[in-house]
Amino acid sequence: QVPGFKQIYPHVKQLVNLVIGDKPMAFKRVVVVQYPREGVWSLGLVTSAAMKSISTRAGQECVTVFVPSTPTPFTGFTITVPASDVIDVPISIDEALRFVLTGGVLVPDAQASGPPDPRVAEIARRLSGGTDPAA
């Protein structure tokens, strides 16, 4: 019953299966980076070490980060940043994609800063195909 989710869910499910299915993509970890400008933090997925020429030119180790966009996390931006500028976030890739897909509504339980909103549980149930997301 949530507007738009019925149209988006099949695509997100396909992406999640691609990312964490039998043949996962090369997402290595979930991070935050200051993007698109300093002071604005964006959730991203580290895909690899940066190209050698970029790290050499930067004079330090760099990593390539895919920054997914809302509401279609299979689109986004690929950026290369110094490895020292990324901060690891202790959540799974699946949790990160749900966070992005919902525009930040579905915050992983361990990362929530306040009491859970009962409406969020209903959205999570619908996104997971009607099953309990905590199961």
Side-chain angles (χ1 to χ4, degrees):
Q1 316 301 3
V2 177
F5 280 92
K6 187 175 182 180
Q7 290 78 19
I8 296 171
Y9 180 74
H11 303 291
V12 173
K13 184 175 179 183
Q14 182 180 16
L15 174 68
V16 169
N17 286 338
L18 181 63
V19 171
I20 61 174
D22 293 337
K23 297 179 182 177
M25 291 178 68
F27 294 145
K28 302 199 182 314
R29 62 191 206 266
V30 180
V31 297
V32 291
V33 293
Q34 292 192 70
Y35 178 82
R37 64 173 177 78
E38 189 174 332
V40 175
W41 294 91
S42 297
L43 200 65
L45 305 166
V46 173
T47 58
S48 65
M51 289 186 273
K52 183 178 174 182
S53 60
I54 296 173
S55 289
T56 300
R57 184 75 157 155
Q60 59 185 310
E61 179 188 355
C62 294
V63 294
T64 302
V65 178
F66 174 68
V67 179
S69 61
T70 299
T72 53
F74 48 88
T75 63
F77 300 91
T78 301
I79 61 173
T80 301
V81 296
S84 60
D85 288 352
V86 301
I87 298 173
D88 287 291
V89 179
I91 63 174
S92 70
I93 292 170
D94 184 45
E95 290 172 319
L97 292 174
R98 286 183 190 199
F99 177 80
V100 171
L101 168 70
T102 62
V105 172
L106 291 182
V107 177
D109 290 339
Q111 297 296 316
S113 58
D117 184 332
R119 297 172 293 179
V120 172
E122 176 61 18
I123 292 170
R125 185 188 65 75
R126 290 179 185 175
L127 282 174
S128 64
T131 60
D132 182 1

